[in-house]
Amino acid sequence: MNVNKELQNWNNKLDKFKHKLNAAYERDDVAMIKQFKLEIAKAEKKIKNLKGKQAYEIGNQGSAVLKMPFKRVLTKQEQADMGALKKSVKGLIVVHPMTALGRDLGIKEVTGFAPKPF
């Protein structure tokens, strides 16, 4: 299971535990309140670890992309016909500014990274 799916699953579990905790408070069920507080703490710890792992992977991916010798901003026409561009340029990696990798790299426009000029 990839990190994003696992993170989403843990966020869903955390949300479920919080709803059950609220229901336990309404019933004044002390044992269940204690159990769900422990479950929430465990889920929050796991989520924190997964976010750290995700940030680490994005950082590694970003450093690999930045090591590529050639980069340039893609024109609107190139963005429209991305399939043809990727076929003509071997090893091309396109980074959009709204993705996690794009935000991490601090790019402002859709940029292509490649081992050779294109």
Side-chain angles (χ1 to χ4, degrees):
M1 181 179 290
N2 70 18
V3 178
N4 290 335
K5 286 183 181 179
E6 193 172 352
L7 185 59
Q8 183 62 44
N9 287 341
W10 277 102
N11 279 321
N12 290 342
K13 287 179 184 181
L14 178 63
D15 189 47
K16 184 171 60 172
F17 292 146
K18 286 181 178 180
H19 285 293
K20 288 184 177 185
L21 178 64
N22 289 339
Y25 272 124
E26 290 175 5
R27 293 188 315 266
D28 291 328
D29 190 352
V30 177
M32 294 304 287
I33 290 172
K34 185 176 180 182
Q35 178 186 349
F36 286 124
K37 283 186 177 181
L38 290 173
E39 293 290 337
I40 288 171
K42 183 174 104 175
E44 286 174 343
K45 182 178 178 184
K46 184 68 175 176
I47 288 170
K48 183 179 176 186
N49 288 341
L50 287 171
K51 284 185 179 181
K53 184 177 180 182
Q54 189 178 39
Y56 175 76
E57 288 177 357
I58 289 173
N60 282 346
Q61 188 179 7
S63 64
V65 167
L66 287 177
K67 287 181 183 175
M68 290 192 159
F70 188 76
K71 73 172 186 177
R72 73 171 172 86
V73 175
L74 301 179
T75 64
K76 295 291 182 184
Q77 187 177 13
E78 289 173 329
Q79 291 177 36
D81 197 9
M82 193 68 69
L85 178 65
K86 285 191 173 185
K87 285 180 183 176
S88 67
V89 181
K90 298 297 179 191
L92 176 70
I93 297 176
V94 178
V95 181
H96 193 279
M98 297 301 290
T99 62
L101 180 58
R103 288 189 304 267
D104 188 48
L105 295 177
I107 62 172
K108 302 293 182 208
E109 297 180 77
V110 178
T111 307
F113 295 87
K116 296 179 183 177
F118 62 98

Coordinates of all heavy atoms in Angstrom, one line a residue, residues 12 19 23 25 46 50-51 58 63 71 73 75 77 90 101:
N12 N -9.2 8.4 8.0 CA -10.6 7.9 8.1 C -10.8 7.2 9.5 O -11.8 7.4 10.1 CB -10.9 6.9 7.0 CG -11.0 7.6 5.7 OD1 -11.2 8.8 5.6 ND2 -10.9 6.8 4.6
H19 N -15.7 10.4 16.3 CA -17.2 10.3 16.4 C -17.6 9.4 17.5 O -18.6 9.7 18.2 CB -17.8 9.9 15.0 CG -17.7 11.0 14.0 ND1 -18.5 12.1 14.1 CD2 -17.0 11.1 12.8 CE1 -18.3 12.9 13.0 NE2 -17.4 12.3 12.3
A23 N -19.8 10.1 21.0 CA -20.9 9.3 21.4 C -20.7 8.7 22.8 O -21.7 8.6 23.6 CB -21.2 8.2 20.4
Y25 N -19.0 10.1 25.2 CA -19.1 11.2 26.1 C -20.6 11.5 26.4 O -21.0 11.7 27.5 CB -18.5 12.5 25.6 CG -17.1 12.7 25.9 CD1 -16.1 12.9 24.9 CD2 -16.6 12.7 27.3 CE1 -14.8 13.1 25.2 CE2 -15.3 12.9 27.6 CZ -14.4 13.1 26.6 OH -13.1 13.3 26.9
K46 N 0.6 7.7 14.3 CA 0.8 7.0 13.0 C 0.7 8.0 11.8 O 1.5 7.9 10.9 CB -0.2 5.8 12.8 CG 0.0 5.0 11.6 CD 1.2 4.2 11.7 CE 1.3 3.3 10.4 NZ 2.6 2.5 10.4
L50 N 3.5 8.9 9.1 CA 3.3 8.8 7.6 C 3.5 10.1 6.9 O 4.1 10.1 5.8 CB 1.9 8.3 7.4 CG 1.6 6.8 7.7 CD1 0.2 6.5 7.6 CD2 2.5 5.9 6.7
K51 N 3.2 11.2 7.5 CA 3.4 12.5 6.9 C 4.9 12.8 6.8 O 5.4 13.4 5.8 CB 2.7 13.6 7.7 CG 1.2 13.7 7.4 CD 0.5 14.8 8.1 CE -1.0 14.8 7.8 NZ -1.6 16.0 8.4
I58 N 9.1 12.9 -1.0 CA 8.9 14.0 -1.9 C 10.3 14.7 -2.0 O 10.7 15.2 -3.1 CB 7.8 14.9 -1.5 CG1 6.5 14.3 -1.7 CG2 7.9 16.3 -2.2 CD1 5.3 15.0 -1.2
S63 N 15.0 16.1 -5.2 CA 16.4 16.2 -5.4 C 16.9 15.5 -6.7 O 17.7 15.9 -7.4 CB 17.2 15.7 -4.2 OG 17.0 14.4 -4.0
K71 N 16.2 22.0 -17.7 CA 14.9 22.3 -17.4 C 14.4 23.5 -18.1 O 15.2 24.4 -18.4 CB 14.7 22.5 -15.8 CG 15.3 23.8 -15.3 CD 14.9 23.9 -13.8 CE 15.4 25.3 -13.4 NZ 15.0 25.6 -12.0
V73 N 10.4 26.0 -18.7 CA 8.9 26.1 -18.6 C 8.3 25.6 -19.9 O 8.8 25.9 -21.0 CB 8.6 27.6 -18.3 CG1 7.1 27.7 -18.3 CG2 9.2 28.0 -17.0
T75 N 5.4 25.5 -22.8 CA 4.4 26.4 -23.4 C 3.0 25.8 -23.3 O 2.9 24.6 -23.0 CB 4.8 26.7 -24.9 OG1 4.6 25.5 -25.6 CG2 6.2 27.2 -25.0
Q77 N 1.0 25.3 -25.7 CA 0.8 24.3 -26.8 C 1.5 23.0 -26.4 O 0.9 21.9 -26.6 CB 1.5 24.8 -28.1 CG 1.2 24.0 -29.3 CD 1.8 24.6 -30.5 OE1 2.6 25.5 -30.5 NE2 1.4 24.0 -31.7
K90 N 12.8 11.6 -24.3 CA 12.9 10.5 -23.4 C 13.4 11.0 -22.1 O 14.3 11.8 -21.9 CB 13.9 9.5 -24.0 CG 13.5 8.9 -25.3 CD 12.3 8.1 -25.2 CE 11.9 7.5 -26.5 NZ 10.6 6.9 -26.5
L101 N 5.2 18.0 -5.1 CA 6.6 18.1 -5.6 C 6.8 19.5 -6.1 O 7.8 20.1 -5.9 CB 6.8 17.1 -6.7 CG 8.2 17.1 -7.4 CD1 9.3 16.9 -6.3 CD2 8.3 16.0 -8.4

